[in-house]
C-alpha cells in the first residue's frame, strides 16, 4: 500500500472510449478522475458517472470545451489528459490539446494519425516537441492500431535471415458506435460518399490517418532501405451499396523487391472475427495467428491508453513516436509504485 497522492487524470471527449475510461477509473485506488471535457450540450454540466452508465455519481461534471477548459487546467492539478474526442487529423488533435500541454499536463491521444509524426509530418512533430520540452511534459498517440508493430519486431528475435515480412490486421468493429465507425473509418457511408471523402483526403494529406508510418518503422528496425511505398484503399460494400469495411494495403519496396506488406482491415465482420496474422519469410519461416475476442479493438484502445499512464508520466519530455515508446504493459498493482 502506498500513501502517495493519487494520479490525477482528465478526459477530453466523452464517447465510447471516454465512458469506458470513466468506468475503469471509478474502480481504481491509484487514479483519480478530476475532469472531463466535452462539446455536447446534452453532456455539459452533468455528472460524468451517470453519463457513463455508472449507478453512482462521481461528483465530476462535464466541462465545456473551448469556453471552460482553460479554467479547468488552471484550477485543478492534472497529471495526464487523455484525448479521445472523435475523428480528427494529427494537427487538429494537437490544436485541441495544445492548451493542456502549455499548462504542464502530459497528454495521451487516441488519434491514429499521431503515431510517428517524426516521419509523417516532421514540422508538426517539431512544433509539438518544442512546446512539450518548454513545459516539461510528454505527448504521444496510443490505441489498438499502434501496438502490432512492436509484436512483429519482437518476433524477429529468433530469425537468422529475413527476406520479407507481412501481416494482416483484421479488426471487427462491432464494438464501436455507428457514429464512431462512420466518422473515423467511413463505415456506414454509401460508396459515393466514401469515394468523395477519400478524394478530399487525397488532396489534403493532413486529413489522412494512414498506416504509412508503420512501414517505415518496420523497415528501419529490420535494416531494409525502403525506397518506395505503394498504398491501396479498397472497400467491402453490401447489396444496398453501403460500405461495411475498409482495407488499406501498403507495400514497401527496396530496389523493386517487396520487403514489407501490411493489410489493415476494419470491418463489420458478420462472424465478428478479430485477429492478427504475421508472416516472416526467412530462416526460420514464421507464421503466427493471434486470435482475439471480438471486443478487442475497442477494449484494447482504452486499455492501452490506461496502461500508458505510468509511461507518459515517466518518459522524457517531448513528442514521442508511439512505436518506440516502451511496451505499455498491463500492470495489476498500484501505478504509484512503478512511477
Ligand atoms: N488509436 C487507435 O487504435 C484507435 C482505435 C479506436 C478509436 N480510436 C479513436 O478514439 C477516439 C474515440 O473513439 P470513440 O469510439 O470513443 O468515438 P465516439 O464514440 O465517436 O466519441 C467521440 C466523442 O468525442 C466528442 N467530441 C468530438 N469532437 C469534440 C471536441 N472538439 N471537443 C470535445 N469533444 C468532442 C464527441 O462528442 P459529440 O457527441 O458532440 O459528437 C463524442 O462524444 C476517436 O478519435 C477514434 O478515432 C483510436
Amino acid at each position: 500500500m502506498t500513501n502517495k497522492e493519487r494520479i490525477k487524470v482528465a478526459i477530453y471527449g466523452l464517447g465510447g472510449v471516454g465512458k469506458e475510461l470513466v468506468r475503469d477509473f471509478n474502480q481504481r485506488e491509484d487514479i483519480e478522475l478530476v475532469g472531463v471535457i466535452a462539446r455536447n450540450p446534452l453532456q455539459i454540466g452533468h455528472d460524468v458517472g451517470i453519463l457513463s452508465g455508472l449507478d453512482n455519481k462521481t461528483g465530476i461534471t462535464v466541462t465545456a470545451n473551448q469556453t471552460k477548459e482553460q479554467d479547468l487546467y488552471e484550477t485543478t492539478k492534472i497529471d495526464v489528459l487523455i484525448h479521445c474526442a472523435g475523428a480528427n487529423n494529427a494537427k487538429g488533435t494537437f490544436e485541441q490539446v495544445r492548451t493542456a500541454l502549455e499548462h504542464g499536463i502530459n497528454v495521451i491521444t487516441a488519434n491514429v494519425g499521431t503515431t510517428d509524426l517524426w516521419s509523417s509530418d516532421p514540422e508538426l512533430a517539431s512544433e509539438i516537441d518544442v512546446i512539450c520540452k518548454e513545459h516539461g511534459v510528454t505527448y504521444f498517440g496510443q490505441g489498438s492500431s499502434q501496438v502490432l508493430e512492436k509484436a512483429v519486431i519482437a518476433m524477429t528475435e529468433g530469425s537468422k535471415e529475413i527476406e520479407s515480412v507481412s501481416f494482416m490486421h483484421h479488426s471487427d468493429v462491432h464494438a464501436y458506435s455507428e457514429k464512431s465507425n462512420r466518422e473515423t473509418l467511413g463505415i456506414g457511408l454509401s460508396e459515393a460518399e466514401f469515394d468523395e471523402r477519400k478524394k478530399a483526403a487525397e488532396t489534403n494529406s493532413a486529413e489522412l490517418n494512414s498506416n504509412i508510418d508503420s512501414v517505415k518503422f518496420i523497415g528501419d528496425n529490420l535494416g531494409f532501405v525502403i525506397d518506395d511505398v505503394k498504398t491501396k484503399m479498397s472497400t467491402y460494400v453490401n447489396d444496398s451499396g453501403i460500405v461495411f469495411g475498409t482495407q488499406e494495403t501498403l507495400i514497401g519496396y527496396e530496389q523493386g523487391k517487396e520487403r514489407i506488406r501490411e493489410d489493415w482491415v476494419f470491418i463489420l465482420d458478420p462472424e465478428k472475427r478479430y485477429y492478427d496474422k504475421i508472416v516472416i519469410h526467412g530462416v526460420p519461416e514464421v507464421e503466427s495467428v493471434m486470435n482475439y475476442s471480438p471486443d478487442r479493438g475497442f477494449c484494447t484502445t482504452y486499455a492501452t491508453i490506461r496502461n500508458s499512464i505510468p509511461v507518459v508520466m515517466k518518459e522524457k519530455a517531448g513528442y514521442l513516436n508511439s512505436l518506440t515508446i516502451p511496451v505499455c504493459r498491463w500492470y495489476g498493482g498500484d501505478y504509484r509504485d512503478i512511477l
Side-chain angles (χ1 to χ4, degrees):
M1 276 296 276
T2 178
N3 55 10
K4 285 186 210 156
E5 250 187 78
R6 297 173 83 193
I7 299 166
K8 298 185 169 35
V9 179
I11 298 172
Y12 198 119
L14 191 60
V17 172
K19 288 175 184 171
E20 195 63 43
L21 287 164
V22 171
R23 293 194 286 269
D24 189 287
F25 297 155
N26 186 54
Q27 298 172 358
R28 294 188 70 108
E29 274 298 312
D30 49 356
I31 296 175
E32 181 184 356
L33 181 66
V34 293
V36 173
I37 298 160
R39 65 173 180 188
N40 189 332
L42 297 173
Q43 295 181 324
I44 293 165
H46 293 278
D47 190 278
V48 304
I50 304 303
L51 290 171
S52 304
L54 290 172
D55 293 334
N56 59 295
K57 284 192 175 181
T58 57
I60 302 294
T61 53
V62 174
T63 301
N65 72 335
Q66 296 178 336
T67 53
K68 294 282 180 210
E69 68 188 62
Q70 188 157 336
D71 293 353
L72 178 73
Y73 303 148
E74 280 167 9
T75 56
T76 312
K77 179 180 183 309
I78 303 172
D79 297 307
V80 180
L81 176 73
I82 294 172
H83 174 273
C84 44
N88 210 332
N89 56 42
K91 175 85 178 148
T93 298
F94 162 59
E95 291 304 343
Q96 286 179 344
V97 300
R98 178 199 279 267
T99 314
L101 295 169
E102 288 170 346
H103 280 75
I105 301 168
N106 298 297
V107 177
I108 304 167
T109 178
N111 174 248
V112 191
T114 310
T115 297
D116 180 10
L117 297 174
W118 292 111
S119 300
S120 57
D121 191 343
E123 212 174 295
L124 178 60
S126 178
E127 185 186 352
I128 303 174
D129 196 52
V130 168
I131 291 175
C132 287
K133 286 182 172 147
E134 204 176 311
H135 297 278
V137 292
T138 307
Y139 179 54
F140 57 72
Q142 186 62 295
S144 56
S145 306
Q146 283 122 316
V147 295
L148 178 57
E149 292 83 353
K150 289 190 196 116
V152 174
I153 300 304
M155 282 174 69
T156 68
E157 275 191 322
S159 294
K160 183 172 169 235
E161 297 292 339
I162 296 180
E163 277 298 306
S164 66
V165 169
S166 67
F167 64 75
M168 158 78 79
H169 176 73
H170 180 101
S171 164
D172 171 54
V173 295
H174 274 97
Y176 293 99
S177 69
E178 273 179 35
K179 178 167 172 280
S180 179
N181 282 333
R182 196 173 48 251
E183 289 183 359
T184 311
L185 299 166
I187 289 177
L189 298 178
S190 70
E191 222 177 342
E193 287 168 332
F194 187 93
D195 287 344
E196 212 167 286
R197 207 164 101 165
K198 191 168 130 199
K199 221 179 280 161
E202 278 162 3
T203 54
N204 175 7
S205 63
E207 293 300 325
L208 286 174
N209 279 333
S210 160
N211 288 301
I212 208 151
D213 303 351
S214 167
V215 176
K216 181 166 178 356
F217 172 76
I218 291 179
D220 287 351
N221 266 275
L222 301 184
F224 295 149
V225 184
I226 301 299
D227 48 34
D228 186 22
V229 181
K230 294 208 178 346
T231 66
K232 187 176 170 221
M233 179 62 91
S234 34
T235 48
Y236 296 81
V237 181
N238 68 17
D239 294 344
S240 317
I242 302 297
V243 174
F244 68 97
T246 64
Q247 175 158 353
E248 186 185 23
T249 301
L250 303 107
I251 305 178
Y253 297 91
E254 180 176 10
Q255 294 186 345
K257 185 175 166 54
E258 182 177 318
R259 288 293 203 181
I260 301 165
R261 184 190 184 99
E262 303 186 0
D263 283 288
W264 296 84
V265 176
F266 296 93
I267 188 167
L268 285 168
D269 183 341
E271 293 173 48
K272 299 196 172 172
R273 289 166 307 159
Y274 202 119
Y275 63 88
D276 287 318
K277 178 175 177 181
I278 302 170
V279 179
I280 300 173
H281 290 296
V283 184
E285 281 281 316
V286 177
E287 182 173 320
S288 158
V289 180
M290 292 180 272
N291 287 306
Y292 308 92
S293 51
D295 58 351
R296 194 262 182 178
F298 180 69
C299 166
T300 298
T301 294
Y302 79 80
T304 49
I305 289 173
R306 200 269 324 274
N307 297 344
S308 300
I309 290 173
V311 175
V312 82
M313 290 179 73
K314 267 190 358 190
E315 277 300 291
K316 61 178 190 231
Y319 163 68
L320 305 184
N321 175 352
S322 317
L323 306 174
T324 55
I325 56 174
V327 171
C328 299
R329 71 190 196 278
W330 179 85
Y331 182 73
D334 188 307
Y335 279 174
R336 291 168 292 183
D337 294 337
I338 55 168
L339 286 178

